[in-house]
Amino acid sequence: MSGEREIVRIQVDLVCDKNCEACEKFFDCRDPYKYQVYERRRMDIVRERMSKVRHKVMVIAGKGGTGKSTLTVNLSAGMAMKGYKVGILDQDFDGPCIPKMFGLSGGLYLGDTGIIPRVYEPLGIKIVSTGMVIDADEPLTWYHELRRGATEEFLAHVDWQELDYLFIDLPPGTSSDNVNILQHLPDLSGAILVTVPSLVSQGVARRAGVLALKADVEILGVVENMSGFACPHCGEVSYILREGGGRKLAEELEAPFLGAVPLDPRMSECCDEGVPFIYKYPDSPVSKLLLGMCEEINKALEAKGR
Amino acid sequence: MSGEREIVRIQVDLVCDKNCEACEKFFDCRDPYKYQVYERRRMDIVRERMSKVRHKVMVIAGKGGTGKSTLTVNLSAGMAMKGYKVGILDQDFDGPCIPKMFGLSGGLYLGDTGIIPRVYEPLGIKIVSTGMVIDADEPLTWYHELRRGATEEFLAHVDWQELDYLFIDLPPGTSSDNVNILQHLPDLSGAILVTVPSLVSQGVARRAGVLALKADVEILGVVENMSGFACPHCGEVSYILREGGGRKLAEELEAPFLGAVPLDPRMSECCDEGVPFIYKYPDSPVSKLLLGMCEEINKALEAKGR
């Protein structure tokens, strides 16, 4: 019995073409090398898919509710309005907001070349999110390994095709999902770090920024979100969540400061309606500011040839 | 050699008093039962510590940045102002905000009876947070098992002593940290579910609510936070993040609606200063609303005798 097993192992070794995924002996093979090969093969597929994406930009904050998703939606739409081919990977598996913010409902489908992203038609933005595969009332309780598998799946088996920009919207925190992207997405172009002005938010955002820097991912810029609110009745500006925190954080991390985005009730309305604010109100001051950020991100990445 | 091992196993079996933590053969013992016993022993310690805490209330939202921590701080302070003995477990390991919101810096110390919580002196609130043990610039990258260990450590080895209320401030998401509390905190009294008014936030909050209900934890109430902003200049109220979402969510989940807390710039100021808003401005309308919520939570729990 033990001799038979030995023979199988030798046979596998002899005919092994390292193409484990396609191997008919996959489940018989006990060679520990198989798993490494399988892992490497999967990373090869990720690398191949991602080689067609020019700029991969993660949107991080550490803290929740700073407007990462809203900013991802609007920067993506801004880039698309400038003529770039854009995709979004919604890496917030537990609380996916991106599909709703584009008014997309329904699932993801498998084509001949992999999972086909959903498209926000008016701007041709390709989107993949767990919000498209999980029931609206179903809480996800995935731990680290499952989350890592999902990240790899979205990078390896989605047919993104050629893209100028892939924005990755990260969930709050600095653990599993952040680490998985930092480890498994090759040639990440950089990170956009979002904070609200308060000191408390900066403290958490700094941790997320430090993690990106530890992984040798450049911070392309810091955005201060929810900064100031102009009363639509009298025009007086109130700094509800304080002010100045974004610029301070950018200085501390020696990263460019991309600007302070004021609060605008129409922003939240647009998210609920499923239309990017920048697309619906292209002439508003906030949209002009956001388009300016797109320009700066673009210039910074082009200058680096990344 | 194999005979010797067998003898050790038998000896362990013979003298085993199931007190694995104190056992001198802990690392020699290969009995799989050891791990179960160890686990059970740890849960016994948790149960013993937690038996001295009358009400254990988790504050959840699914989504980040809805004001879970701010609400935890102010409900805790409100309860303490009513004369209750209150503790807070900051279960947001990656982005702990609670210490800063109470103006507490510095570490946690080990006493004869376990880890000694830090105390917010003016109100005697006992607080434990990873923010007290991790450097401000150090991002945590803990995966599921480590997070579970930390939760158990904070429940089992912190000398909370007698408390009327232990509030647990949960991070965004519905996975590791939420599940760990739901699984490892015995006799959880209920959950406070926080949402901002927008549809997008409700969608995520609903998932967190459904998870609590699946674990047989009652939703004591839904709070709509950041609901409306009265311009300090002209008094006109703007609904920056929309309105009505909290009540709608409460109806959907058949839970009480505890009220809508308006935006107030002084709230964010207080968080950054390290003083609970409700304690600094006890006569403001927002504080009265929050004190009313404390009353309702208290009544609901007393009525149930939990």
Side-chain angles (χ1 to χ4, degrees):
Chain A
M1 202 43 210
S2 108
E4 256 182 272
R5 246 193 242 152
E6 193 67 13
I7 290 163
V8 170
R9 204 172 65 81
I10 289 167
Q11 279 185 335
V12 169
D13 284 349
L14 285 177
V15 303
C16 181
D17 59 356
K18 312 292 189 218
N19 188 4
C20 298
E21 278 201 332
C23 180
E24 59 188 14
K25 296 210 162 52
F26 189 83
F27 292 108
D28 295 322
C29 176
R30 289 288 169 272
D31 194 333
Y33 193 71
K34 173 185 75 172
Y35 301 98
Q36 293 171 31
V37 169
Y38 182 57
E39 186 71 13
R40 208 180 309 146
R41 170 108 184 103
R42 202 166 188 186
M43 277 309 290
D44 282 347
I45 303 174
V46 171
R47 212 167 280 119
E48 196 192 315
R49 292 266 195 212
M50 287 298 121
S51 70
K52 295 182 192 157
V53 179
R54 253 168 88 212
H55 306 306
K56 300 122 192 155
V57 177
M58 66 194 289
V59 182
I60 55 172
K63 201 171 173 326
T66 56
K68 283 177 296 303
S69 299
T70 310
L71 200 73
T72 302
V73 164
N74 283 284
L75 290 180
S76 300
M79 291 292 187
M81 284 156 70
K82 283 176 184 294
Y84 294 109
K85 287 184 209 150
V86 181
I88 300 176
L89 170 56
D90 186 357
Q91 173 82 352
D92 191 340
F93 300 149
D94 290 8
C97 294
I98 297 286
K100 188 152 193 56
M101 288 178 174
F102 280 108
L104 295 171
S105 57
L108 279 173
Y109 301 93
L110 197 64
D112 290 340
T113 54
I115 299 166
I116 310 299
R118 297 289 303 273
V119 179
Y120 178 68
E121 289 297 347
L123 291 166
I125 299 171
K126 294 178 179 174
I127 301 154
V128 166
S129 168
T130 56
M132 295 163 175
V133 285
I134 311 285
D135 191 73
D137 276 327
E138 194 53 45
L140 273 191
T141 52
W142 287 356
Y143 310 147
H144 183 68
E145 284 304 314
L146 259 174
R147 306 182 88 82
R148 177 167 157 257
T151 297
E152 287 185 2
E153 192 78 14
F154 285 152
L155 295 174
H157 297 136
V158 172
D159 186 18
W160 294 101
Q161 298 184 333
E162 306 249 324
L163 291 178
D164 295 305
Y165 276 95
L166 178 64
F167 285 97
I168 304 114
D169 181 23
L170 271 287
T174 51
S175 294
S176 292
D177 300 315
N178 283 260
V179 170
N180 287 335
I181 279 290
L182 290 168
Q183 284 183 338
H184 297 283
L185 180 50
D187 304 322
L188 205 50
S189 315
I192 310 284
L193 181 59
V194 193
T195 185
V196 299
S198 77
L199 277 172
V200 165
S201 176
Q202 280 170 64
V204 184
R206 189 185 299 113
R207 284 195 169 97
V210 170
L211 181 66
L213 293 173
K214 274 189 178 191
D216 277 330
V217 170
E218 189 183 341
I219 298 172
L220 298 169
V222 175
V223 177
E224 177 174 308
N225 204 12
M226 307 191 187
S227 172
F229 171 69
C231 175
H233 187 65
C234 70
E236 191 82 3
V237 176
S238 296
Y239 291 93
I240 305 178
L241 298 171
R242 321 209 71 195
E243 63 173 312
R247 189 178 291 277
K248 195 166 150 272
L249 184 63
E251 281 165 11
E252 283 172 17
L253 294 172
E254 298 178 8
F257 178 60
L258 291 176
V261 184
L263 282 161
D264 187 321
R266 294 176 304 173
M267 186 64 88
S268 195
E269 268 169 43
C270 282
C271 288
D272 281 0
E273 267 172 40
V275 184
F277 177 92
I278 200 171
Y279 180 63
K280 186 166 178 184
Y281 303 108
D283 297 322
S284 84
V286 168
S287 294
K288 282 178 182 161
L289 179 69
L290 290 166
L291 283 165
M293 286 183 191
C294 290
E295 203 61 59
E296 280 199 51
I297 293 164
N298 207 30
K299 255 193 269 174
L301 289 175
E302 293 296 340
K304 286 183 192 73
R306 294 179 75 176
Chain B
M1 201 46 210
S2 109
E4 255 182 272
R5 244 194 245 154
E6 193 66 16
I7 289 163
V8 171
R9 204 173 66 80
I10 290 167
Q11 277 183 335
V12 169
D13 283 347
L14 285 177
V15 302
C16 182
D17 60 355
K18 312 293 188 218
N19 187 4
C20 298
E21 278 199 334
C23 179
E24 59 187 16
K25 295 209 165 50
F26 189 84
F27 291 108
D28 296 322
C29 176
R30 290 287 170 275
D31 193 333
Y33 193 67
K34 173 185 75 170
Y35 302 97
Q36 293 171 31
V37 169
Y38 182 59
E39 186 72 13
R40 208 180 308 145
R41 171 109 183 101
R42 204 167 187 186
M43 277 309 290
D44 282 348
I45 304 173
V46 171
R47 212 167 280 119
E48 197 192 315
R49 292 269 195 208
M50 288 298 121
S51 70
K52 296 181 190 159
V53 179
R54 255 169 84 210
H55 307 306
K56 301 122 191 155
V57 177
M58 67 194 290
V59 181
I60 56 172
K63 201 169 170 332
T66 55
K68 284 177 297 301
S69 300
T70 309
L71 200 74
T72 301
V73 164
N74 283 286
L75 291 179
S76 300
M79 290 292 187
M81 285 157 69
K82 284 177 184 291
Y84 294 109
K85 288 185 209 149
V86 180
I88 299 176
L89 171 57
D90 185 357
Q91 173 83 352
D92 190 341
F93 301 148
D94 290 8
C97 294
I98 297 286
K100 189 152 193 54
M101 289 178 174
F102 280 108
L104 295 171
S105 56
L108 279 173
Y109 301 94
L110 197 65
D112 290 341
T113 53
I115 298 164
I116 312 297
R118 297 289 303 275
V119 178
Y120 178 68
E121 289 297 347
L123 292 167
I125 300 171
K126 294 177 178 172
I127 300 154
V128 165
S129 167
T130 56
M132 295 164 174
V133 286
I134 310 285
D135 192 72
D137 276 330
E138 195 52 45
L140 273 190
T141 52
W142 287 355
Y143 310 147
H144 183 68
E145 284 303 315
L146 260 174
R147 307 182 87 81
R148 176 168 157 255
T151 297
E152 286 184 3
E153 193 77 14
F154 285 152
L155 296 174
H157 297 135
V158 171
D159 186 17
W160 294 101
Q161 298 182 332
E162 304 249 323
L163 291 178
D164 296 305
Y165 276 94
L166 178 65
F167 284 97
I168 303 114
D169 181 22
L170 271 287
T174 50
S175 294
S176 292
D177 299 315
N178 284 260
V179 170
N180 287 335
I181 279 290
L182 291 168
Q183 283 183 339
H184 297 283
L185 180 49
D187 304 322
L188 204 50
S189 316
I192 310 285
L193 181 58
V194 193
T195 185
V196 299
S198 75
L199 276 172
V200 165
S201 177
Q202 281 171 63
V204 184
R206 189 184 300 113
R207 285 194 168 97
V210 169
L211 181 65
L213 293 173
K214 273 190 178 192
D216 277 329
V217 170
E218 187 182 341
I219 298 170
L220 298 169
V222 175
V223 178
E224 177 173 308
N225 204 12
M226 307 190 184
S227 172
F229 171 69
C231 175
H233 187 65
C234 70
E236 191 81 5
V237 176
S238 297
Y239 292 93
I240 304 178
L241 298 171
R242 323 209 70 194
E243 63 173 315
R247 189 178 291 278
K248 195 166 150 273
L249 184 62
E251 281 165 12
E252 283 172 15
L253 295 172
E254 297 178 9
F257 178 60
L258 290 176
V261 184
L263 282 160
D264 187 322
R266 295 177 304 172
M267 187 63 89
S268 197
E269 266 170 47
C270 281
C271 289
D272 281 1
E273 267 171 39
V275 184
F277 177 91
I278 200 172
Y279 180 61
K280 187 167 178 184
Y281 303 108
D283 297 322
S284 84
V286 168
S287 294
K288 284 179 182 159
L289 178 68
L290 291 165
L291 283 165
M293 286 183 191
C294 289
E295 204 63 59
E296 281 199 50
I297 293 165
N298 206 29
K299 255 193 272 175
L301 289 175
E302 294 296 341
K304 287 184 190 76
R306 295 179 75 173

